[in-house]
Amino acid sequence: MSSWDNAFTGKPGTGAVNSHSFGGAVSFFRTPFGRDLSDIDVAVMGIPLDIAVTNRSGARLGPRAIRNASMSLAWERPWPWKTDPLEALRVVDYGDCENNEGGGLLSIKHIESWISRILDTDTATLLLGGDHFISYPSLCAHYKKHGPIALIHFDAHTDTWPSSGEGINHGTMFYKAAKEGIVLPEHSIQIGIRTTNDDTLGYDIVFAPQVHEQSAAAIVKRIKERVGDRPAYITFDIDCLDPAFAPGTGTPVPGGLSSFQALNIIRGLTGINLIGMDVVEVAPAYDHAELTALAGAQIGIELLALFAECRAGRK
């Protein structure tokens, strides 16, 4: 087989694959498919779920769209990182969390069990959503392994509206996580917020205008001071970006971050105790020219690069 079938023939840890971008099997950045996690550092898993949305559905197709967009970026290491994360880390595309238990994807425990199966092998996860609800079962699984978590949350919305009864949706999960002690609001921070929710629950909120008015270095400093050395989980809702940069999402809000701003902040977070990551809410049916999927793919590889730097710095 030729090199562009790296998804089948490649070996984790060998770096970016330089081949044509319009053929071959579609995996995340051409990483090899695999579910044998012995000796693997990060498993990339899609969670194709969008039944917890409160506006437009379609994010269930996000993992597929992100993977497809990643193919055009996969030929070299992400700029301006000095280290190729796919060489520094042994990464596999784990495929998707499967709905094989009769509605199981709606079950928190079902998704949590898939993530816990990965974490139990001492492998980290990069999750591709799916709507933002998927962060809750992910946090539950990470809490079992690492204890209370400092959340670094990029979004247009706080997602801390109170849950009604036993229900949970993509706007209530960080309320629930805070109330259950899974997330430490006093050490967590939300970046890019531009919707009204007067009860912060103790989360530090960096509103979108503050990001526009301040330097990326200032925002990075605020994030690092907030989370300290605690186990930190990064969740990136693609609607943190302005609809000009990410139109393909369920609940777009004007006035958001540019790709440049978001990437500069992520690149500055080296040194944190990063334990897990997700990119959510890419809904390709509303996208234009794959702009949103491309942004999601770029953020995904940047998070892997950040994870590699953080891990190297803690050895």
Side-chain angles (χ1 to χ4, degrees):
M1 278 188 188
S2 57
S3 62
W4 50 263
D5 283 309
N6 198 67
F8 299 125
T9 63
K11 293 183 179 180
T14 55
V17 178
N18 186 3
S19 62
H20 69 103
S21 60
F22 49 85
V26 178
S27 63
F28 184 75
F29 279 83
R30 300 190 182 278
T31 52
F33 293 118
R35 289 191 171 170
D36 179 0
L37 299 181
S38 54
D39 257 359
I40 297 300
D41 299 309
V42 182
V44 180
M45 182 170 73
I47 305 184
L49 170 81
D50 63 8
I51 51 179
V53 297
T54 56
N55 196 35
R56 304 186 300 191
S57 62
R60 69 180 61 188
L61 298 177
R64 182 182 297 175
I66 292 170
R67 287 185 175 103
N68 192 62
S70 78
M71 300 287 279
S72 66
L73 300 169
W75 59 282
E76 64 175 357
R77 75 173 189 265
W79 180 92
W81 297 93
K82 301 302 183 185
T83 301
D84 181 351
L86 299 183
E87 185 175 3
L89 301 169
R90 290 159 296 188
V91 181
V92 294
D93 190 320
Y94 195 77
D96 288 344
C97 178
E98 297 170 11
N99 184 6
N100 57 4
E101 295 185 4
L105 276 181
L106 184 59
S107 164
I108 293 167
K109 292 298 181 184
H110 176 74
I111 300 172
E112 181 185 337
S113 70
W114 275 70
I115 298 166
S116 290
R117 190 183 311 164
I118 295 171
L119 298 182
D120 286 346
T121 67
D122 291 326
T123 304
T125 58
L126 168 61
L127 304 178
L128 309 177
D131 73 53
H132 212 159
F133 162 84
I134 68 133
S135 294
Y136 178 73
S138 180
L139 288 169
C140 290
H142 283 81
Y143 173 78
K144 287 192 303 184
K145 185 174 181 65
H146 298 283
I149 294 165
L151 184 68
I152 302 173
H153 172 202
F154 293 83
D155 206 323
H157 314 84
T158 61
D159 296 339
T160 53
W161 287 273
S163 298
S164 55
E166 294 300 316
I168 183 172
N169 60 46
H170 73 160
T172 64
M173 65 282 173
F174 297 142
Y175 174 92
K176 189 173 178 65
K179 293 296 185 180
E180 293 175 346
I182 295 169
V183 162
L184 299 169
E186 66 273 20
H187 297 296
S188 298
I189 188 164
Q190 301 177 311
I191 304 106
I193 305 302
R194 52 195 186 277
T195 47
T196 301
N197 185 356
D198 293 330
D199 186 0
T200 68
L201 295 182
Y203 289 91
D204 186 22
I205 297 180
V206 184
F207 292 102
Q210 295 174 284
V211 180
H212 294 309
E213 293 162 3
Q214 299 176 24
S215 67
I219 304 301
V220 167
K221 182 174 184 289
R222 183 167 166 179
I223 295 170
K224 288 185 172 181
E225 288 176 349
R226 185 72 172 180
V227 305
D229 196 45
R230 295 165 188 84
Y233 184 100
I234 295 180
T235 179
F236 199 106
D237 186 327
I238 207 67
D239 71 27
C240 179
L241 302 181
D242 189 86
F245 300 91
T249 191
T251 316
V253 182
L257 277 60
S258 69
S259 302
F260 176 78
Q261 289 170 311
L263 294 174
N264 268 2
I265 294 170
I266 290 171
R267 290 164 184 164
L269 293 177
T270 55
I272 65 172
N273 182 13
L274 184 58
I275 60 166
M277 308 151 280
D278 66 50
V279 182
V280 298
E281 296 283 358
V282 172
Y286 315 110
D287 208 359
H288 173 70
E290 293 187 304
L291 287 177
T292 313
L294 187 67
Q298 184 69 43
I299 290 163
I301 196 67
E302 298 273 346
L303 290 176
L304 285 182
L306 175 62
F307 184 83
E309 290 286 329
C310 290
R311 194 184 71 150
R314 304 186 73 82
K315 284 186 175 180

